[in-house]
Structures are given as C-alpha cells and as structure tokens.
Amino acid sequence: MARNYRIISADSHLEISPTRWTGRVPVQYRDRAPRLIKLANGGDGVIVENRPAYILGLAVTGKPYAEHQLTGIVYGEGAGTGTPER
C-alpha cells in the first residue's frame, strides 16, 4: 500500500539516552561505550571515548522561544523525548 506524504522533515533526529542501548554493547567494550553523566548545572551530558563531553542543549521542541536554553537539558524532559510509554 503506497503512502501519500504531505510533509517530509529533512531535519529530524533522535536524542536517545545512551542508557537505552549501552547494556547491549558487548561486556568487553562497555567501558568504551558512550555513557550519560550529570553535569554541575543539573543537565545531562554524554561521554564518548577520547572526546570532550557532549553537552545537551538547545532542546527547543515544543517550547516557546523565551524558554529555549543552551545548556542544562535533561534527557526525557522535553516534548517528544523519553520512553515510548511517556
């Protein structure tokens, strides 16, 4: 059955917490797998082997412009994020 798409997003992506898949990484590589860290400002970051922390920021989905923030974002708190059950 063919689908008739009216709108196609060319800029969609997922921000999935590493905790959703790290347990599936073979045991011998888990210490090298990306992992979630808590930052001093209360936000989340991701550590990837041999790289500076990736700081979550500019999570603007579903927020008025006045509520946009560059850092301090926490996985699962923004619109369209979190577990499938949410």
Side-chain angles (χ1 to χ4, degrees):
M1 182 169 137
R3 294 183 187 219
N4 184 15
Y5 293 104
R6 299 175 108 181
I7 298 173
I8 298 173
S9 173
D11 191 31
S12 294
H13 60 275
L14 297 173
E15 289 277 1
I16 299 174
S17 171
T19 59
R20 298 283 288 172
W21 55 268
T22 302
R24 297 180 181 157
V25 174
V27 174
Q28 68 266 31
Y29 302 115
R30 282 197 192 144
D31 62 327
R32 300 173 64 186
R35 61 191 175 280
L36 193 62
I37 60 169
K38 190 56 78 176
L39 304 171
N41 66 5
D44 290 338
V46 177
I47 294 286
V48 179
E49 182 183 32
N50 298 324
R51 295 183 182 190
Y54 167 67
I55 309 303
L56 302 183
L58 204 58
V60 297
T61 305
K63 293 182 183 178
Y65 181 78
E67 294 179 20
H68 292 187
Q69 55 190 36
L70 297 177
T71 62
I73 305 301
V74 176
Y75 272 114
E77 288 187 357
T81 66
T83 64
E85 298 78 24
R86 193 175 146 221

